Amino acid sequence: MDPFPSLDAVHVVGDRVLIRPSDDAERSSGGLYLPASVRSKETVRTGRVVRVGPGHAVPNPDYSASEPWTSDGEPVRYLPLQARVGDLALFLREKAVEVEYDDASYLIVPHGALLALVRPQHPEDAGYEP
């Protein structure tokens, strides 16, 4: 079930994520404490990932424009991103672009600007021990 139903029409492009920013309090909603040096410089911000783009575009080796009947159909494939909907993201503030949608503020952040992800255990992670 989608925790952000008003965003059904929003499609994030490429290697970007859409984040609902949290307040820049001393403690994040995930229980992560940000040191005073980080908060005073305001270089790092936190928020919840609400949408994830398809990933990094790479050429499809099976695609042949000259023989479309033998190809996979799409000239591009995507390498998926690490971020998932619901993750708490720590990201570089200067890389984020602020947007308004349905009277709410969101940030579009390139995946490369994400510093860390805090996530609850997902079913596909079962059995994984770091």
Side-chain angles (χ1 to χ4, degrees):
M1 180 177 212
D2 189 359
F4 307 100
S6 66
L7 296 174
D8 286 340
V10 176
H11 297 276
V12 181
V13 178
D15 68 338
R16 294 172 185 86
V17 295
L18 184 68
I19 295 177
R20 176 175 285 165
S22 57
D23 58 358
D24 289 329
E26 181 177 319
R27 183 177 176 181
S28 70
S29 61
L32 199 60
Y33 285 94
L34 299 175
S37 62
V38 171
R39 284 183 282 116
S40 67
K41 293 180 185 175
E42 297 183 4
T43 57
V44 176
R45 194 159 180 195
T46 63
R48 287 279 171 200
V49 175
V50 295
R51 287 283 185 265
V52 178
H56 301 282
V58 294
N60 183 351
D62 299 328
Y63 179 77
S64 172
S66 62
E67 299 175 355
W69 57 89
T70 63
S71 69
D72 205 9
E74 296 294 324
V76 176
R77 286 188 180 171
Y78 293 93
L79 293 175
L81 304 176
Q82 285 182 293
R84 297 180 188 158
V85 172
D87 287 350
L88 176 70
L90 277 77
F91 56 92
L92 297 172
R93 178 186 297 268
E94 72 265 6
K95 301 290 185 180
V97 176
E98 190 168 351
V99 295
E100 293 267 334
Y101 183 78
D102 275 350
D103 297 325
S105 292
Y106 297 94
L107 299 169
I108 298 175
V109 180
H111 198 263
L114 298 179
L115 301 174
L117 297 168
V118 179
R119 83 169 47 119
Q121 182 142 359
H122 287 268
E124 59 264 22
D125 294 336
Y128 173 74
E129 294 292 327

mmCIF file of all heavy atoms in Angstrom, residues 78-130:
data_model
loop_
_atom_site.group_PDB
_atom_site.id
_atom_site.type_symbol
_atom_site.label_atom_id
_atom_site.label_comp_id
_atom_site.label_asym_id
_atom_site.label_seq_id
_atom_site.Cartn_x
_atom_site.Cartn_y
_atom_site.Cartn_z
ATOM 1 N N TYR A 78 17.765 -0.151 -17.102
ATOM 2 C CA TYR A 78 18.081 0.638 -15.920
ATOM 3 C C TYR A 78 18.658 -0.246 -14.821
ATOM 4 O O TYR A 78 18.146 -1.322 -14.551
ATOM 5 C CB TYR A 78 16.817 1.329 -15.378
ATOM 6 C CG TYR A 78 16.295 2.379 -16.313
ATOM 7 C CD1 TYR A 78 15.321 2.078 -17.255
ATOM 8 C CD2 TYR A 78 16.795 3.678 -16.272
ATOM 9 C CE1 TYR A 78 14.846 3.044 -18.122
ATOM 10 C CE2 TYR A 78 16.331 4.647 -17.136
ATOM 11 C CZ TYR A 78 15.358 4.326 -18.051
ATOM 12 O OH TYR A 78 14.902 5.290 -18.915
ATOM 13 N N LEU A 79 19.741 0.250 -14.203
ATOM 14 C CA LEU A 79 20.284 -0.391 -13.007
ATOM 15 C C LEU A 79 19.539 0.216 -11.825
ATOM 16 O O LEU A 79 19.524 1.438 -11.646
ATOM 17 C CB LEU A 79 21.782 -0.103 -12.863
ATOM 18 C CG LEU A 79 22.680 -0.713 -13.927
ATOM 19 C CD1 LEU A 79 24.113 -0.258 -13.727
ATOM 20 C CD2 LEU A 79 22.596 -2.221 -13.881
ATOM 21 N N PRO A 80 18.889 -0.599 -11.012
ATOM 22 C CA PRO A 80 18.069 -0.052 -9.925
ATOM 23 C C PRO A 80 18.909 0.657 -8.866
ATOM 24 O O PRO A 80 20.109 0.426 -8.730
ATOM 25 C CB PRO A 80 17.378 -1.282 -9.345
ATOM 26 C CG PRO A 80 18.178 -2.438 -9.791
ATOM 27 C CD PRO A 80 18.879 -2.046 -11.054
ATOM 28 N N LEU A 81 18.243 1.536 -8.119
ATOM 29 C CA LEU A 81 18.887 2.311 -7.066
ATOM 30 C C LEU A 81 18.805 1.573 -5.732
ATOM 31 O O LEU A 81 17.982 0.677 -5.559
ATOM 32 C CB LEU A 81 18.197 3.668 -6.938
ATOM 33 C CG LEU A 81 18.138 4.504 -8.216
ATOM 34 C CD1 LEU A 81 17.345 5.778 -7.961
ATOM 35 C CD2 LEU A 81 19.522 4.823 -8.722
ATOM 36 N N GLN A 82 19.652 1.965 -4.794
ATOM 37 C CA GLN A 82 19.618 1.371 -3.461
ATOM 38 C C GLN A 82 18.457 1.892 -2.637
ATOM 39 O O GLN A 82 17.941 1.193 -1.782
ATOM 40 C CB GLN A 82 20.917 1.670 -2.720
ATOM 41 C CG GLN A 82 22.098 0.859 -3.189
ATOM 42 C CD GLN A 82 23.316 1.202 -2.371
ATOM 43 O OE1 GLN A 82 23.810 2.318 -2.456
ATOM 44 N NE2 GLN A 82 23.792 0.272 -1.583
ATOM 45 N N ALA A 83 18.057 3.135 -2.853
ATOM 46 C CA ALA A 83 16.988 3.738 -2.061
ATOM 47 C C ALA A 83 15.656 3.061 -2.357
ATOM 48 O O ALA A 83 15.386 2.660 -3.493
ATOM 49 C CB ALA A 83 16.894 5.229 -2.372
ATOM 50 N N ARG A 84 14.838 2.915 -1.307
ATOM 51 C CA ARG A 84 13.501 2.335 -1.434
ATOM 52 C C ARG A 84 12.501 3.259 -0.758
ATOM 53 O O ARG A 84 12.856 4.002 0.168
ATOM 54 C CB ARG A 84 13.442 0.970 -0.761
ATOM 55 C CG ARG A 84 14.340 -0.050 -1.382
ATOM 56 C CD ARG A 84 14.197 -1.354 -0.634
ATOM 57 N NE ARG A 84 15.196 -2.306 -1.105
ATOM 58 C CZ ARG A 84 15.607 -3.332 -0.399
ATOM 59 N NH1 ARG A 84 15.113 -3.558 0.795
ATOM 60 N NH2 ARG A 84 16.508 -4.157 -0.893
ATOM 61 N N VAL A 85 11.262 3.193 -1.183
ATOM 62 C CA VAL A 85 10.206 3.984 -0.558
ATOM 63 C C VAL A 85 10.137 3.616 0.917
ATOM 64 O O VAL A 85 10.154 2.446 1.282
ATOM 65 C CB VAL A 85 8.859 3.721 -1.261
ATOM 66 C CG1 VAL A 85 7.717 4.388 -0.510
ATOM 67 C CG2 VAL A 85 8.906 4.215 -2.701
ATOM 68 N N GLY A 86 10.092 4.649 1.760
ATOM 69 C CA GLY A 86 10.024 4.444 3.206
ATOM 70 C C GLY A 86 11.353 4.587 3.912
ATOM 71 O O GLY A 86 11.385 4.717 5.139
ATOM 72 N N ASP A 87 12.463 4.559 3.175
ATOM 73 C CA ASP A 87 13.779 4.731 3.793
ATOM 74 C C ASP A 87 13.915 6.127 4.379
ATOM 75 O O ASP A 87 13.394 7.101 3.826
ATOM 76 C CB ASP A 87 14.899 4.552 2.762
ATOM 77 C CG ASP A 87 15.104 3.126 2.333
ATOM 78 O OD1 ASP A 87 14.526 2.220 2.950
ATOM 79 O OD2 ASP A 87 15.853 2.919 1.354
ATOM 80 N N LEU A 88 14.644 6.243 5.482
ATOM 81 C CA LEU A 88 15.060 7.534 5.999
ATOM 82 C C LEU A 88 16.389 7.828 5.323
ATOM 83 O O LEU A 88 17.326 7.029 5.415
ATOM 84 C CB LEU A 88 15.240 7.494 7.520
ATOM 85 C CG LEU A 88 15.775 8.791 8.124
ATOM 86 C CD1 LEU A 88 14.730 9.886 8.042
ATOM 87 C CD2 LEU A 88 16.204 8.567 9.558
ATOM 88 N N ALA A 89 16.477 8.950 4.616
ATOM 89 C CA ALA A 89 17.680 9.285 3.851
ATOM 90 C C ALA A 89 18.413 10.449 4.484
ATOM 91 O O ALA A 89 17.800 11.428 4.901
ATOM 92 C CB ALA A 89 17.304 9.625 2.419
ATOM 93 N N LEU A 90 19.728 10.339 4.557
ATOM 94 C CA LEU A 90 20.599 11.456 4.898
ATOM 95 C C LEU A 90 21.248 11.871 3.588
ATOM 96 O O LEU A 90 21.819 11.024 2.881
ATOM 97 C CB LEU A 90 21.680 11.040 5.897
ATOM 98 C CG LEU A 90 21.278 11.033 7.357
ATOM 99 C CD1 LEU A 90 20.446 9.808 7.656
ATOM 100 C CD2 LEU A 90 22.509 11.077 8.216
ATOM 101 N N PHE A 91 21.159 13.149 3.249
ATOM 102 C CA PHE A 91 21.635 13.599 1.947
ATOM 103 C C PHE A 91 22.255 14.985 2.043
ATOM 104 O O PHE A 91 22.053 15.704 3.021
ATOM 105 C CB PHE A 91 20.496 13.591 0.923
ATOM 106 C CG PHE A 91 19.310 14.415 1.330
ATOM 107 C CD1 PHE A 91 19.200 15.743 0.943
ATOM 108 C CD2 PHE A 91 18.303 13.871 2.107
ATOM 109 C CE1 PHE A 91 18.109 16.499 1.323
ATOM 110 C CE2 PHE A 91 17.208 14.619 2.489
ATOM 111 C CZ PHE A 91 17.105 15.946 2.096
ATOM 112 N N LEU A 92 23.022 15.344 1.017
ATOM 113 C CA LEU A 92 23.659 16.653 0.944
ATOM 114 C C LEU A 92 22.628 17.707 0.575
ATOM 115 O O LEU A 92 21.964 17.604 -0.460
ATOM 116 C CB LEU A 92 24.789 16.639 -0.092
ATOM 117 C CG LEU A 92 25.943 15.694 0.215
ATOM 118 C CD1 LEU A 92 26.894 15.626 -0.970
ATOM 119 C CD2 LEU A 92 26.676 16.143 1.465
ATOM 120 N N ARG A 93 22.497 18.698 1.419
ATOM 121 C CA ARG A 93 21.488 19.744 1.243
ATOM 122 C C ARG A 93 21.667 20.513 -0.068
ATOM 123 O O ARG A 93 20.682 20.813 -0.744
ATOM 124 C CB ARG A 93 21.555 20.717 2.411
ATOM 125 C CG ARG A 93 20.584 21.867 2.323
ATOM 126 C CD ARG A 93 20.799 22.871 3.448
ATOM 127 N NE ARG A 93 20.570 22.306 4.744
ATOM 128 C CZ ARG A 93 19.405 22.332 5.382
ATOM 129 N NH1 ARG A 93 18.371 22.894 4.827
ATOM 130 N NH2 ARG A 93 19.278 21.797 6.567
ATOM 131 N N GLU A 94 22.893 20.826 -0.443
ATOM 132 C CA GLU A 94 23.107 21.676 -1.629
ATOM 133 C C GLU A 94 22.764 20.974 -2.943
ATOM 134 O O GLU A 94 22.597 21.622 -3.959
ATOM 135 C CB GLU A 94 24.531 22.232 -1.675
ATOM 136 C CG GLU A 94 25.598 21.201 -2.004
ATOM 137 C CD GLU A 94 26.260 20.605 -0.781
ATOM 138 O OE1 GLU A 94 25.842 20.896 0.351
ATOM 139 O OE2 GLU A 94 27.208 19.825 -0.954
ATOM 140 N N LYS A 95 22.635 19.662 -2.932
ATOM 141 C CA LYS A 95 22.296 18.918 -4.153
ATOM 142 C C LYS A 95 20.784 18.771 -4.347
ATOM 143 O O LYS A 95 20.319 18.362 -5.399
ATOM 144 C CB LYS A 95 22.922 17.521 -4.127
ATOM 145 C CG LYS A 95 24.425 17.521 -4.012
ATOM 146 C CD LYS A 95 25.050 18.013 -5.278
ATOM 147 C CE LYS A 95 26.568 17.880 -5.162
ATOM 148 N NZ LYS A 95 27.258 18.331 -6.332
ATOM 149 N N ALA A 96 20.000 19.097 -3.319
ATOM 150 C CA ALA A 96 18.556 18.908 -3.366
ATOM 151 C C ALA A 96 17.876 20.086 -4.068
ATOM 152 O O ALA A 96 18.295 21.231 -3.941
ATOM 153 C CB ALA A 96 18.008 18.767 -1.953
ATOM 154 N N VAL A 97 16.807 19.778 -4.797
ATOM 155 C CA VAL A 97 15.974 20.788 -5.447
ATOM 156 C C VAL A 97 14.607 20.733 -4.791
ATOM 157 O O VAL A 97 13.964 19.679 -4.762
ATOM 158 C CB VAL A 97 15.851 20.511 -6.965
ATOM 159 C CG1 VAL A 97 14.906 21.497 -7.615
ATOM 160 C CG2 VAL A 97 17.212 20.535 -7.629
ATOM 161 N N GLU A 98 14.153 21.869 -4.244
ATOM 162 C CA GLU A 98 12.871 21.902 -3.544
ATOM 163 C C GLU A 98 11.736 22.118 -4.536
ATOM 164 O O GLU A 98 11.836 22.958 -5.440
ATOM 165 C CB GLU A 98 12.873 23.014 -2.501
ATOM 166 C CG GLU A 98 11.681 22.955 -1.591
ATOM 167 C CD GLU A 98 11.819 23.853 -0.376
ATOM 168 O OE1 GLU A 98 12.912 24.392 -0.152
ATOM 169 O OE2 GLU A 98 10.818 24.002 0.347
ATOM 170 N N VAL A 99 10.661 21.341 -4.378
ATOM 171 C CA VAL A 99 9.469 21.474 -5.212
ATOM 172 C C VAL A 99 8.236 21.442 -4.309
ATOM 173 O O VAL A 99 8.269 20.891 -3.219
ATOM 174 C CB VAL A 99 9.369 20.354 -6.279
ATOM 175 C CG1 VAL A 99 10.497 20.451 -7.272
ATOM 176 C CG2 VAL A 99 9.342 18.984 -5.641
ATOM 177 N N GLU A 100 7.151 22.049 -4.800
ATOM 178 C CA GLU A 100 5.864 22.023 -4.095
ATOM 179 C C GLU A 100 4.898 21.195 -4.925
ATOM 180 O O GLU A 100 4.822 21.358 -6.142
ATOM 181 C CB GLU A 100 5.316 23.442 -3.956
ATOM 182 C CG GLU A 100 6.123 24.336 -3.058
ATOM 183 C CD GLU A 100 5.620 24.342 -1.637
ATOM 184 O OE1 GLU A 100 4.425 24.076 -1.428
ATOM 185 O OE2 GLU A 100 6.429 24.618 -0.746
ATOM 186 N N TYR A 101 4.168 20.298 -4.260
ATOM 187 C CA TYR A 101 3.158 19.486 -4.935
ATOM 188 C C TYR A 101 2.026 19.237 -3.960
ATOM 189 O O TYR A 101 2.263 18.775 -2.841
ATOM 190 C CB TYR A 101 3.758 18.161 -5.413
ATOM 191 C CG TYR A 101 2.795 17.305 -6.186
ATOM 192 C CD1 TYR A 101 2.502 17.587 -7.512
ATOM 193 C CD2 TYR A 101 2.167 16.228 -5.589
ATOM 194 C CE1 TYR A 101 1.608 16.812 -8.226
ATOM 195 C CE2 TYR A 101 1.274 15.451 -6.290
ATOM 196 C CZ TYR A 101 0.999 15.745 -7.611
ATOM 197 O OH TYR A 101 0.103 14.977 -8.313
ATOM 198 N N ASP A 102 0.801 19.557 -4.354
ATOM 199 C CA ASP A 102 -0.373 19.402 -3.481
ATOM 200 C C ASP A 102 -0.163 20.074 -2.124
ATOM 201 O O ASP A 102 -0.410 19.478 -1.074
ATOM 202 C CB ASP A 102 -0.720 17.925 -3.277
ATOM 203 C CG ASP A 102 -1.593 17.378 -4.391
ATOM 204 O OD1 ASP A 102 -2.075 18.177 -5.215
ATOM 205 O OD2 ASP A 102 -1.795 16.158 -4.419
ATOM 206 N N ASP A 103 0.324 21.299 -2.150
ATOM 207 C CA ASP A 103 0.538 22.100 -0.942
ATOM 208 C C ASP A 103 1.508 21.464 0.046
ATOM 209 O O ASP A 103 1.429 21.711 1.251
ATOM 210 C CB ASP A 103 -0.793 22.391 -0.241
ATOM 211 C CG ASP A 103 -1.724 23.215 -1.119
ATOM 212 O OD1 ASP A 103 -1.210 24.068 -1.872
ATOM 213 O OD2 ASP A 103 -2.947 22.996 -1.055
ATOM 214 N N ALA A 104 2.403 20.626 -0.437
ATOM 215 C CA ALA A 104 3.427 20.024 0.421
ATOM 216 C C ALA A 104 4.799 20.237 -0.221
ATOM 217 O O ALA A 104 4.911 20.308 -1.450
ATOM 218 C CB ALA A 104 3.166 18.539 0.613
ATOM 219 N N SER A 105 5.819 20.352 0.596
ATOM 220 C CA SER A 105 7.187 20.543 0.102
ATOM 221 C C SER A 105 7.895 19.204 0.001
ATOM 222 O O SER A 105 7.801 18.367 0.911
ATOM 223 C CB SER A 105 7.986 21.441 1.041
ATOM 224 O OG SER A 105 7.485 22.748 1.000
ATOM 225 N N TYR A 106 8.585 19.009 -1.099
ATOM 226 C CA TYR A 106 9.377 17.809 -1.337
ATOM 227 C C TYR A 106 10.739 18.233 -1.865
ATOM 228 O O TYR A 106 10.931 19.364 -2.309
ATOM 229 C CB TYR A 106 8.699 16.895 -2.364
ATOM 230 C CG TYR A 106 7.366 16.371 -1.915
ATOM 231 C CD1 TYR A 106 6.196 17.023 -2.268
ATOM 232 C CD2 TYR A 106 7.276 15.234 -1.116
ATOM 233 C CE1 TYR A 106 4.965 16.551 -1.843
ATOM 234 C CE2 TYR A 106 6.046 14.758 -0.693
ATOM 235 C CZ TYR A 106 4.900 15.423 -1.064
ATOM 236 O OH TYR A 106 3.684 14.957 -0.639
ATOM 237 N N LEU A 107 11.676 17.307 -1.841
ATOM 238 C CA LEU A 107 13.005 17.540 -2.388
ATOM 239 C C LEU A 107 13.301 16.456 -3.412
ATOM 240 O O LEU A 107 13.024 15.280 -3.168
ATOM 241 C CB LEU A 107 14.057 17.508 -1.280
ATOM 242 C CG LEU A 107 13.889 18.560 -0.185
ATOM 243 C CD1 LEU A 107 14.803 18.262 0.985
ATOM 244 C CD2 LEU A 107 14.163 19.945 -0.731
ATOM 245 N N ILE A 108 13.847 16.859 -4.549
ATOM 246 C CA ILE A 108 14.336 15.900 -5.540
ATOM 247 C C ILE A 108 15.844 15.861 -5.381
ATOM 248 O O ILE A 108 16.515 16.890 -5.477
ATOM 249 C CB ILE A 108 13.937 16.306 -6.967
ATOM 250 C CG1 ILE A 108 12.416 16.328 -7.090
ATOM 251 C CG2 ILE A 108 14.553 15.350 -7.977
ATOM 252 C CD1 ILE A 108 11.905 16.837 -8.417
ATOM 253 N N VAL A 109 16.357 14.663 -5.109
ATOM 254 C CA VAL A 109 17.771 14.505 -4.787
ATOM 255 C C VAL A 109 18.379 13.444 -5.700
ATOM 256 O O VAL A 109 17.812 12.358 -5.849
ATOM 257 C CB VAL A 109 17.935 14.065 -3.305
ATOM 258 C CG1 VAL A 109 19.395 13.898 -2.940
ATOM 259 C CG2 VAL A 109 17.254 15.049 -2.374
ATOM 260 N N PRO A 110 19.531 13.743 -6.336
ATOM 261 C CA PRO A 110 20.198 12.692 -7.117
ATOM 262 C C PRO A 110 20.703 11.596 -6.180
ATOM 263 O O PRO A 110 21.112 11.867 -5.047
ATOM 264 C CB PRO A 110 21.351 13.420 -7.801
ATOM 265 C CG PRO A 110 21.496 14.716 -7.111
ATOM 266 C CD PRO A 110 20.246 15.004 -6.373
ATOM 267 N N HIS A 111 20.667 10.383 -6.661
ATOM 268 C CA HIS A 111 21.065 9.243 -5.827
ATOM 269 C C HIS A 111 22.493 9.393 -5.314
ATOM 270 O O HIS A 111 22.811 8.974 -4.205
ATOM 271 C CB HIS A 111 20.907 7.946 -6.623
ATOM 272 C CG HIS A 111 20.860 6.732 -5.755
ATOM 273 N ND1 HIS A 111 21.969 5.963 -5.522
ATOM 274 C CD2 HIS A 111 19.852 6.169 -5.051
ATOM 275 C CE1 HIS A 111 21.642 4.968 -4.719
ATOM 276 N NE2 HIS A 111 20.360 5.063 -4.416
ATOM 277 N N GLY A 112 23.352 10.016 -6.087
ATOM 278 C CA GLY A 112 24.741 10.219 -5.678
ATOM 279 C C GLY A 112 24.892 11.157 -4.493
ATOM 280 O O GLY A 112 25.942 11.175 -3.848
ATOM 281 N N ALA A 113 23.868 11.945 -4.177
ATOM 282 C CA ALA A 113 23.934 12.868 -3.044
ATOM 283 C C ALA A 113 23.450 12.222 -1.752
ATOM 284 O O ALA A 113 23.534 12.832 -0.687
ATOM 285 C CB ALA A 113 23.109 14.119 -3.336
ATOM 286 N N LEU A 114 22.957 10.989 -1.820
ATOM 287 C CA LEU A 114 22.539 10.285 -0.613
ATOM 288 C C LEU A 114 23.776 9.797 0.130
ATOM 289 O O LEU A 114 24.672 9.203 -0.464
ATOM 290 C CB LEU A 114 21.648 9.094 -0.957
ATOM 291 C CG LEU A 114 20.338 9.407 -1.659
ATOM 292 C CD1 LEU A 114 19.585 8.124 -1.963
ATOM 293 C CD2 LEU A 114 19.482 10.350 -0.849
ATOM 294 N N LEU A 115 23.823 10.047 1.421
ATOM 295 C CA LEU A 115 24.962 9.646 2.237
ATOM 296 C C LEU A 115 24.706 8.336 2.964
ATOM 297 O O LEU A 115 25.613 7.522 3.127
ATOM 298 C CB LEU A 115 25.288 10.740 3.259
ATOM 299 C CG LEU A 115 25.619 12.107 2.665
ATOM 300 C CD1 LEU A 115 25.765 13.139 3.777
ATOM 301 C CD2 LEU A 115 26.876 12.029 1.829
ATOM 302 N N ALA A 116 23.474 8.149 3.434
ATOM 303 C CA ALA A 116 23.121 6.931 4.169
ATOM 304 C C ALA A 116 21.615 6.729 4.094
ATOM 305 O O ALA A 116 20.860 7.681 3.930
ATOM 306 C CB ALA A 116 23.562 7.040 5.626
ATOM 307 N N LEU A 117 21.214 5.466 4.219
ATOM 308 C CA LEU A 117 19.804 5.099 4.234
ATOM 309 C C LEU A 117 19.527 4.274 5.480
ATOM 310 O O LEU A 117 20.278 3.340 5.780
ATOM 311 C CB LEU A 117 19.437 4.282 2.994
ATOM 312 C CG LEU A 117 19.590 4.989 1.655
ATOM 313 C CD1 LEU A 117 19.481 3.986 0.513
ATOM 314 C CD2 LEU A 117 18.557 6.084 1.497
ATOM 315 N N VAL A 118 18.491 4.623 6.203
ATOM 316 C CA VAL A 118 18.062 3.851 7.364
ATOM 317 C C VAL A 118 16.723 3.258 6.978
ATOM 318 O O VAL A 118 15.803 3.974 6.611
ATOM 319 C CB VAL A 118 17.905 4.747 8.613
ATOM 320 C CG1 VAL A 118 17.426 3.927 9.800
ATOM 321 C CG2 VAL A 118 19.209 5.455 8.921
ATOM 322 N N ARG A 119 16.632 1.918 7.031
ATOM 323 C CA ARG A 119 15.389 1.285 6.590
ATOM 324 C C ARG A 119 14.995 0.162 7.520
ATOM 325 O O ARG A 119 15.838 -0.508 8.092
ATOM 326 C CB ARG A 119 15.527 0.780 5.168
ATOM 327 C CG ARG A 119 16.179 -0.546 4.980
ATOM 328 C CD ARG A 119 16.016 -1.082 3.551
ATOM 329 N NE ARG A 119 16.295 -0.123 2.544
ATOM 330 C CZ ARG A 119 17.256 -0.244 1.634
ATOM 331 N NH1 ARG A 119 18.029 -1.295 1.616
ATOM 332 N NH2 ARG A 119 17.440 0.695 0.738
ATOM 333 N N PRO A 120 13.684 -0.011 7.618
ATOM 334 C CA PRO A 120 13.214 -1.200 8.334
ATOM 335 C C PRO A 120 13.547 -2.418 7.488
ATOM 336 O O PRO A 120 13.782 -2.304 6.282
ATOM 337 C CB PRO A 120 11.698 -0.988 8.427
ATOM 338 C CG PRO A 120 11.378 -0.024 7.341
ATOM 339 C CD PRO A 120 12.606 0.800 7.113
ATOM 340 N N GLN A 121 13.576 -3.557 8.102
ATOM 341 C CA GLN A 121 13.919 -4.762 7.351
ATOM 342 C C GLN A 121 12.825 -5.073 6.337
ATOM 343 O O GLN A 121 11.655 -5.128 6.667
ATOM 344 C CB GLN A 121 14.096 -5.963 8.275
ATOM 345 C CG GLN A 121 14.494 -7.204 7.503
ATOM 346 C CD GLN A 121 15.492 -8.043 8.235
ATOM 347 O OE1 GLN A 121 15.896 -7.691 9.314
ATOM 348 N NE2 GLN A 121 15.888 -9.131 7.657
ATOM 349 N N HIS A 122 13.223 -5.267 5.085
ATOM 350 C CA HIS A 122 12.315 -5.623 4.008
ATOM 351 C C HIS A 122 12.308 -7.141 3.845
ATOM 352 O O HIS A 122 13.305 -7.804 4.124
ATOM 353 C CB HIS A 122 12.753 -4.980 2.679
ATOM 354 C CG HIS A 122 12.497 -3.509 2.640
ATOM 355 N ND1 HIS A 122 11.331 -2.997 2.146
ATOM 356 C CD2 HIS A 122 13.237 -2.449 3.025
ATOM 357 C CE1 HIS A 122 11.366 -1.678 2.228
ATOM 358 N NE2 HIS A 122 12.519 -1.329 2.760
ATOM 359 N N PRO A 123 11.216 -7.719 3.367
ATOM 360 C CA PRO A 123 11.156 -9.172 3.185
ATOM 361 C C PRO A 123 12.274 -9.717 2.297
ATOM 362 O O PRO A 123 12.800 -10.799 2.555
ATOM 363 C CB PRO A 123 9.787 -9.404 2.534
ATOM 364 C CG PRO A 123 8.978 -8.213 2.903
ATOM 365 C CD PRO A 123 9.945 -7.079 3.043
ATOM 366 N N GLU A 124 12.673 -8.953 1.268
ATOM 367 C CA GLU A 124 13.733 -9.455 0.393
ATOM 368 C C GLU A 124 15.106 -9.434 1.051
ATOM 369 O O GLU A 124 16.056 -10.015 0.541
ATOM 370 C CB GLU A 124 13.768 -8.709 -0.949
ATOM 371 C CG GLU A 124 13.994 -7.236 -0.833
ATOM 372 C CD GLU A 124 12.708 -6.430 -0.842
ATOM 373 O OE1 GLU A 124 11.633 -6.951 -0.528
ATOM 374 O OE2 GLU A 124 12.798 -5.244 -1.169
ATOM 375 N N ASP A 125 15.217 -8.778 2.205
ATOM 376 C CA ASP A 125 16.471 -8.741 2.951
ATOM 377 C C ASP A 125 16.577 -9.914 3.934
ATOM 378 O O ASP A 125 17.585 -10.074 4.595
ATOM 379 C CB ASP A 125 16.608 -7.448 3.747
ATOM 380 C CG ASP A 125 16.737 -6.234 2.841
ATOM 381 O OD1 ASP A 125 17.158 -6.406 1.691
ATOM 382 O OD2 ASP A 125 16.406 -5.126 3.287
ATOM 383 N N ALA A 126 15.535 -10.711 4.055
ATOM 384 C CA ALA A 126 15.524 -11.814 5.015
ATOM 385 C C ALA A 126 16.691 -12.766 4.756
ATOM 386 O O ALA A 126 16.989 -13.121 3.627
ATOM 387 C CB ALA A 126 14.209 -12.582 4.946
ATOM 388 N N GLY A 127 17.374 -13.107 5.792
ATOM 389 C CA GLY A 127 18.508 -14.013 5.674
ATOM 390 C C GLY A 127 19.823 -13.311 5.387
ATOM 391 O O GLY A 127 20.878 -13.921 5.420
ATOM 392 N N TYR A 128 19.788 -11.992 5.143
ATOM 393 C CA TYR A 128 21.016 -11.248 4.865
ATOM 394 C C TYR A 128 21.634 -10.791 6.161
ATOM 395 O O TYR A 128 20.987 -10.151 6.977
ATOM 396 C CB TYR A 128 20.732 -10.046 3.976
ATOM 397 C CG TYR A 128 21.930 -9.141 3.785
ATOM 398 C CD1 TYR A 128 22.983 -9.532 2.969
ATOM 399 C CD2 TYR A 128 22.013 -7.925 4.426
ATOM 400 C CE1 TYR A 128 24.089 -8.722 2.797
ATOM 401 C CE2 TYR A 128 23.109 -7.108 4.274
ATOM 402 C CZ TYR A 128 24.141 -7.514 3.452
ATOM 403 O OH TYR A 128 25.232 -6.708 3.293
ATOM 404 N N GLU A 129 22.872 -11.156 6.400
ATOM 405 C CA GLU A 129 23.610 -10.735 7.589
ATOM 406 C C GLU A 129 24.815 -9.913 7.150
ATOM 407 O O GLU A 129 25.697 -10.424 6.473
ATOM 408 C CB GLU A 129 24.102 -11.952 8.375
ATOM 409 C CG GLU A 129 22.992 -12.781 8.979
ATOM 410 C CD GLU A 129 22.261 -12.066 10.103
ATOM 411 O OE1 GLU A 129 22.905 -11.295 10.818
ATOM 412 O OE2 GLU A 129 21.063 -12.295 10.241
ATOM 413 N N PRO A 130 24.855 -8.628 7.501
ATOM 414 C CA PRO A 130 26.009 -7.791 7.120
ATOM 415 C C PRO A 130 27.278 -8.186 7.827
ATOM 416 O O PRO A 130 27.292 -8.779 8.834
ATOM 417 C CB PRO A 130 25.589 -6.380 7.487
ATOM 418 C CG PRO A 130 24.419 -6.514 8.377
ATOM 419 C CD PRO A 130 23.871 -7.897 8.234
#
